[in-house]
Amino acid sequence: MKGGEEEKAADFANYFCSYASLYHQKQMLTDHRRMQAYHGAIMQNRGLFAGKRVLDVGTGSGILALWCAKAGAAKVFAVEYTDMAKHARKLIEANGASDIVEVIQSSVEALQLDGPVDIIISEWMGYFLLRESMLDSVVRARDRWLAPGGLMFPSHATMYWGLVSDEEDRLAKAAEYLQSTQEWHRFKREMRQYYDCDMNVLEGVYEEEQKGYYILSSFWAELQPDQCVGQGAMIKHFDMHTCTLEDVQGVEETPFRINVEHDCRVSGFAGWFTADFRGTEANPLPVPVLLSTAPDNGYTHWGQQVFYLEVPHWVPRGGAVEGTLALTRQKENIRLYDVGVKHRRHGNSQEPNLGPMQEATYTMP
Amino acid sequence: MKGGEEEKAADFANYFCSYASLYHQKQMLTDHRRMQAYHGAIMQNRGLFAGKRVLDVGTGSGILALWCAKAGAAKVFAVEYTDMAKHARKLIEANGASDIVEVIQSSVEALQLDGPVDIIISEWMGYFLLRESMLDSVVRARDRWLAPGGLMFPSHATMYWGLVSDEEDRLAKAAEYLQSTQEWHRFKREMRQYYDCDMNVLEGVYEEEQKGYYILSSFWAELQPDQCVGQGAMIKHFDMHTCTLEDVQGVEETPFRINVEHDCRVSGFAGWFTADFRGTEANPLPVPVLLSTAPDNGYTHWGQQVFYLEVPHWVPRGGAVEGTLALTRQKENIRLYDVGVKHRRHGNSQEPNLGPMQEATYTMP
């Protein structure tokens, strides 16, 4: 009883959008910025891995565990919850690393090891860093299994929030929303005319549902630098060695201010992150590596999450947009977040007026 | 950690592909063949509803319950499991039927009524009739709540299996499959070259996964009559008044033979259904109605499910395709089915050769 287009989307989603599919693993394995960052962080810091015990949280295809073995680790525990574990085991074996790497199909929480590890490596980052809430598992693994003085790969992660100027995209979404609500009116007329049913009472519900989808949801984008305005504001920084389960729940209302250097229309916001491989102060990496998903850094499969405004801000040169940002886990699915934004425009020194504070809550689907 | 396109598909799927969304209800409410069949079956047989107690299983927006009230029912129990129940209640009230229609948010299995009903109505049909396995709930409702001699709307349902001749579509899927496996080879080369990882051992797994998606899955289609060959074969018939829970589990290996009237290439198979509103022999409907989702019957949101062959059959005029068909519930998700087909070509009287029996199992996603 589902429509063809929706069904196709649902099928595609259900079939491939799972870490148990090789197709999906391949997508991550062909994200070369992601791959080069991890490969570089391991291979250019081999000395740190030599003879060490390593835990790879959510190993997927097993690639990070394999590299750790190649870097000289004495033992690598590669934990994977999905059936991808079976493929990882084959891959490890075919690449001659099965005497070093032990693939364990388990949740991190149920994991049993014969002792602590020296290094925990994991590719846990989701859209806008926190989506999927996999960081919880990494923190639990660290608290349970990382030896004192042990290292986390990555060692730090930082969330950024920037301004987007792209009326073309914003208006396209707005037009889709209007078209969708317009369709309702033909539908309503037909329901009355052919089937003697007055649909008016559900009009508001429908509009709200469609607005939630087209306007109050974030979108994946690969932003070009010229679609961005000013410098992204740092919103939250995690030291992977010390952050707590409570820290990684989300982002409490955090102020931001982004200055605007050229007259422009601000169409919305964008969220992205960086992940650092630099060790600790006591034990810094000989060759630090930075993985950035910022718009000026080229394609990654994470892209950026874009949040369009219903009404754009016109901001003059020397002005700014300021406000607060909060990320809260959804009650129905803790791997997903609601993103609350309060924001207003600032004029410049000639026109120092403030716009009224506006507020919106977006779903990051 | 998901790719943009996939993520869009997943979002769209997760957001809309649920009976709790009005967008989705609207899709079903604008399927006019569906609507006209139910509306006609009720409104042209008003006499049967006058003063009666009716149960609507899975009422969704509440439209069938509303029509039953308009047809003169004394009481309509409209059962809906999702939050759509809340909207249905509003719609019923706004249309002045809340003294007749009681919307109950519940599973059918947990339902408690004050006594039996005279009529059970339900729009329970999924793709190729059985997908979604909602018929189970209707049968349980019937066994528990339908008074002796009561009527089912629809009263009968029939599954059909036909031949498709459409090399354009079949080859398009085959080409997508080849392209997807071709991409693997660039991927494999890069993994070896840049990341010192030999992926060969997973090549078979990947090919099988992609073949499952592109070849051994059925697709939604709105077939045109000229894409079909011969007459669809009846595969299974359900009398809704008597079929058992066991009957509705699936289809046991059932023989079919479809004759071919013109030389043609048979590209695959298609499955569809009809639903009848004609009552029982003892209590036939004054005005029987037929809802058909056959290819020669125009658009319905069910369309047809198409199953393409890896290698088409060439069949001469006067020949045939014969074999067996079986539908089995998937272990991981009983609402979905695996479709097993055995098939071979028959020549004609000049060339009476039989092809070898071939066998394939498709997922109906």
Side-chain angles (χ1 to χ4, degrees), chain A residues 99-287:
Chain A
D99 51 338
I100 305 292
V101 179
E102 183 181 339
V103 177
I104 304 169
Q105 186 165 8
S106 167
S107 69
V108 163
E109 289 70 15
L111 183 65
Q112 287 301 331
L113 300 180
D114 58 1
V117 298
D118 306 298
I119 293 173
I120 292 180
I121 194 165
S122 178
E123 199 280 73
W124 54 266
M125 298 87 77
Y127 290 158
F128 200 8
L129 194 66
L130 293 184
R131 188 178 177 280
E132 302 183 36
S133 300
M134 186 179 156
L135 182 47
D136 294 27
S137 297
V138 178
V139 169
R140 283 197 205 99
R142 183 201 66 198
D143 290 348
R144 177 76 186 82
W145 298 112
L146 190 66
L151 290 179
M152 300 294 291
F153 279 71
S155 57
H156 301 80
T158 313
M159 299 169 73
Y160 291 91
W161 187 241
L163 301 182
V164 174
S165 182
D166 186 341
E167 285 295 281
E168 203 175 328
D169 256 30
R170 189 187 69 79
L171 289 167
K173 295 289 176 199
E176 284 181 74
Y177 168 52
L178 290 188
Q179 197 186 334
S180 158
T181 52
Q182 179 220 332
E183 279 165 14
W184 170 269
H185 290 274
R186 190 180 60 196
F187 165 64
K188 188 173 74 171
R189 201 174 62 238
E190 288 181 355
M191 286 296 289
R192 156 65 68 207
Q193 190 176 339
Y194 302 147
Y195 307 119
D196 194 18
C197 178
D198 179 352
M199 297 297 296
N200 262 320
V201 70
L202 296 184
E203 191 158 305
V205 180
Y206 181 80
E207 276 181 22
E208 202 179 321
E209 186 184 294
Q210 295 300 296
K211 188 171 169 179
Y213 183 69
Y214 287 108
I215 310 289
L216 293 176
S217 290
S218 60
F219 295 92
W220 187 95
E222 187 187 345
L223 290 175
Q224 301 304 308
D226 66 359
Q227 294 169 293
C228 299
V229 177
Q231 292 294 312
M234 197 188 92
I235 290 294
K236 187 153 182 174
H237 180 70
F238 297 96
D239 182 332
M240 296 297 299
H241 301 88
T242 56
C243 63
T244 64
L245 265 185
E246 199 180 343
D247 292 337
V248 307
Q249 289 301 302
V251 175
E252 289 181 13
E253 206 166 298
T254 302
F256 65 85
R257 181 191 164 105
I258 301 167
N259 295 321
V260 169
E261 285 150 22
H262 305 281
D263 295 358
C264 75
R265 236 181 246 271
V266 171
S267 312
F269 300 99
W272 65 85
F273 68 90
T274 60
D276 277 78
F277 303 82
R278 63 173 195 255
T280 60
E281 277 191 29
N283 195 4
L285 260 53
V287 183

Side-chain angles (χ1 to χ4, degrees), chain A residues 1-2 6 12 15 22-23 32 67 70 95 123 125 127 131-132 190 195-196 198 209 213, chain B residues 1-2 6-7 12 15 22-24 32 67 95 123 125 127 132 190 195 198 209 213 301:
Chain A
M1 312 206 287
K2 291 171 177 170
E6 278 183 24
F12 199 76
Y15 193 83
L22 264 184
Y23 178 88
H32 291 299
W67 290 340
K70 284 181 189 281
N95 283 268
E123 199 280 73
M125 298 87 77
Y127 290 158
R131 188 178 177 280
E132 302 183 36
E190 288 181 355
Y195 307 119
D196 194 18
D198 179 352
E209 186 184 294
Y213 183 69
Chain B
M1 312 207 283
K2 290 173 181 171
E6 277 185 22
E7 186 52 26
F12 199 75
Y15 194 84
L22 264 184
Y23 178 88
H24 185 209
H32 290 300
W67 290 340
N95 283 270
E123 199 280 70
M125 298 86 78
Y127 290 159
E132 301 182 35
E190 288 181 356
Y195 307 120
D198 179 349
E209 185 185 294
Y213 182 69
H301 78 286

Side-chain angles (χ1 to χ4, degrees), chain B residues 69 73-76 92-93 95-102:
Chain B
K75 180 77 189 177
V76 183
I92 294 295
E93 197 180 330
N95 283 270
S98 47
D99 51 338
I100 305 291
V101 179
E102 183 181 340

